[in-house]
Every structure is written in structure tokens, then in C-alpha cells.
């Protein structure tokens, strides 16, 4: 039970997300991949609504503040705009799903949530896109982890 909770907590973190929780569950805790997939997806989706609500209520105010948090928010928002703004304007929520589905650093559900807010994607379609992206990212990271385990066993 504690192992499952740690997998969920790893999936909640903004830098870890599925990239951390899936290998942690499969390699360290030796849990079955179907359970790890479900726990990781659920954990990764848990912070999405609270973050989106927080951004919609204080995001603009935070961006205007001259604090460390404000500077970090402005930097991250500008980065999302520069990297993804044109794609999201052209392809809409599908581009948000891609932001979330690619398991690279500084992509994932947290960045997808920021993109929904910063790029003014309609919330309902943005949430569906984030959910789809998390499901795809979970499949990709799980498959890569299992392939790595299989490769190590061959050696």
C-alpha cells in the first residue's frame, strides 16, 4: 500500500510525473505494470484541476508580481508561448495533448495545464486533451521501461 502511494506521489510532482512514477513502480517497487500504469495516470491527473483553478484565479496577478514566483511564472509562460503557442493556435487541443504525451523534461500534465491557461484553450477541451496526453504518455513510458527491463535481462 505504501509503495502504491509513493508511485502516485511521484506522478503528482511537476518534474517527475510519469517519467518518474512508472520506472519507480516497476523497477524499484517491483509492482505489476498494469497497476503502475493506473496509479501513475491517476496521480498525474490529480493536480490538473486544482492547478487550472489556481491559475484562473491568481495566475495573472502572480505574473505581474515582482517575486521569485512571479518571475518563474513569467519565464515558464513565455517559454510555453514560444514553443507551443503557434501549434496550439493552429491545431487547438490536439497540440495540448501532444505537449502532455511527449515524455520529455518540461512537458507533461503540468505544462499542458499551463498551456491551457496561458494560450486560452477552452477549459473543457483542454482537460480532455490533457487526459488523452497523460494516457498516451503512460503507455509510452511504460513500454520504454518494460523494453529497458527486457533489454537488461537479455544482457
Amino acid at each position: 500500500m505504501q509503495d502504491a502511494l509513493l508511485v502516485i506521489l511521484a506522478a503528482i510532482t511537476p518534474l517527475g510525473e510519469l517519467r518518474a512514477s512508472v520506472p519507480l513502480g516497476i523497477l524499484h517497487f517491483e509492482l505489476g505494470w498494469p497497476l503502475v500504469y493506473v496509479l501513475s495516470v491517476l496521480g498525474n491527473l490529480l493536480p490538473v484541476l486544482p492547478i487550472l483553478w489556481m491559475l484562473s484565479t491568481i495566475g495573472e496577478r502572480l505574473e505581474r508580481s515582482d517575486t521569485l514566483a512571479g518571475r518563474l511564472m513569467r519565464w515558464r509562460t513565455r517559454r510555453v508561448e514560444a514553443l507551443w503557442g503557434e501549434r496550439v493556435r493552429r491545431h487547438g487541443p490536439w497540440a495540448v495533448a501532444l505537449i502532455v504525451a511527449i515524455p520529455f523534461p518540461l512537458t507533461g500534465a503540468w505544462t499542458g495545464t499551463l498551456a491551457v491557461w496561458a494560450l486560452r484553450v477552452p477549459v473543457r477541451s483542454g482537460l480532455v486533451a490533457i487526459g488523452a496526453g497523460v494516457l498516451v504518455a503512460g503507455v509510452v513510458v511504460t513500454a520504454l521501461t518494460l523494453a529497458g527491463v527486457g533489454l537488461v535481462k537479455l544482457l
Side-chain angles (χ1 to χ4, degrees):
M1 184 65 172
Q2 181 181 357
D3 296 347
L5 180 60
L6 290 173
V7 169
I8 291 171
L9 290 174
I12 289 173
T13 63
L15 292 176
E17 297 192 50
L18 297 164
R19 295 175 301 272
S21 65
V22 170
L24 178 71
I26 292 172
L27 300 174
H28 183 71
F29 296 127
E30 299 178 352
L31 299 173
W33 71 263
L35 175 62
V36 170
Y37 176 83
V38 169
L39 294 173
S40 295
V41 165
L42 290 175
N44 201 204
L45 290 172
L46 274 175
V48 170
L49 275 176
I51 293 167
L52 198 53
W53 175 80
M54 186 177 69
L55 285 171
S56 67
T57 57
I58 65 166
E60 288 181 23
R61 206 170 336 139
L62 181 61
E63 276 190 318
R64 287 191 306 264
S65 75
D66 194 31
T67 63
L68 177 62
R71 288 190 297 274
L72 180 62
M73 183 71 156
R74 284 189 300 278
W75 171 79
R76 193 70 190 118
T77 302
R78 281 193 304 261
R79 185 121 166 98
V80 165
E81 170 62 39
L83 290 173
W84 296 100
E86 184 57 36
R87 290 179 184 105
V88 170
R89 282 188 283 284
R90 191 174 323 131
H91 303 291
W94 292 108
V96 173
L98 184 63
I99 294 169
V100 178
I102 299 171
F104 290 142
L106 299 179
T107 64
W110 284 71
T111 300
T113 304
L114 179 61
V116 166
W117 173 76
L119 303 173
R120 310 294 189 252
V121 175
V123 172
R124 190 167 286 174
S125 58
L127 289 173
V128 170
I130 292 168
V134 167
L135 291 171
V136 170
V139 169
V140 170
V141 174
T142 301
L144 289 173
T145 302
L146 293 173
V149 168
L151 186 62
V152 168
K153 285 182 181 179
L154 283 175
L155 301 176

